[in-house]
Amino acid sequence: MTAGSRLPDDVEPDTCAAFRDALDRVGSKWGIAIIAAASDGPIRFAELHRSIPGISRRMLTLTLRTLERDGLITRTVHPTVPPQVEYTATALAEELFASTRALSAWARDNHAKVAAARAAYDDGEAARHEERDRPGGPQPY
């Protein structure tokens, strides 16, 4: 830790910004699903659209553009009539996707514990509100 800081030395502003950028990709509703679908090799737009339930064509287009801009998806246009377009996850996307598997495993393994902690917290909050609202009970700050 640096003097006067409670953060570890590896938590620098630039590192935090890079981490937020990565979380934007991982945390987006559709980004990882698109990367996963494109990880098996080239996939056409319609096939990609069918493979991700609930995504609109517009949202798929916008997310693909963002992923392409970030270097996570490669778009290849084949000169046919009509043009055939394929999308492929890049090596960078494959690395990101692999790292999300650890987070996914943690979420799966700990989901019940998090749900139990939330329920205990909510029960405690409800009890505190009941106590506060009771005549003669503790007054809020």
Side-chain angles (χ1 to χ4, degrees), residues 9-112:
D9 291 334
D10 63 343
V11 181
E12 302 281 331
D14 290 343
T15 302
C16 289
F19 187 67
R20 278 192 306 275
D21 279 349
L23 283 180
D24 285 346
R25 292 309 131 250
V26 173
S28 78
K29 186 170 183 178
W30 305 110
I32 289 297
I34 291 170
I35 289 170
S39 290
D40 292 333
I43 187 168
R44 294 180 65 182
F45 184 90
E47 192 179 354
L48 192 54
H49 185 249
R50 281 191 303 272
S51 72
I52 304 172
I55 193 168
S56 69
R57 295 177 68 81
R58 173 153 171 72
M59 186 52 63
L60 178 57
T61 298
L62 292 174
T63 307
L64 281 166
R65 284 184 188 151
T66 299
L67 294 172
E68 183 180 12
R69 181 174 181 251
D70 289 347
L72 299 171
I73 291 288
T74 300
R75 179 178 185 263
T76 305
V77 180
H78 298 282
T80 59
V81 178
Q84 181 181 347
V85 180
E86 295 179 325
Y87 299 91
T88 308
T90 65
L92 191 60
E94 296 285 348
E95 188 178 343
L96 175 63
F97 186 46
S99 67
T100 64
R101 288 189 173 127
L103 179 58
S104 179
W106 180 90
R108 181 194 63 236
D109 295 346
N110 292 287
H111 181 72

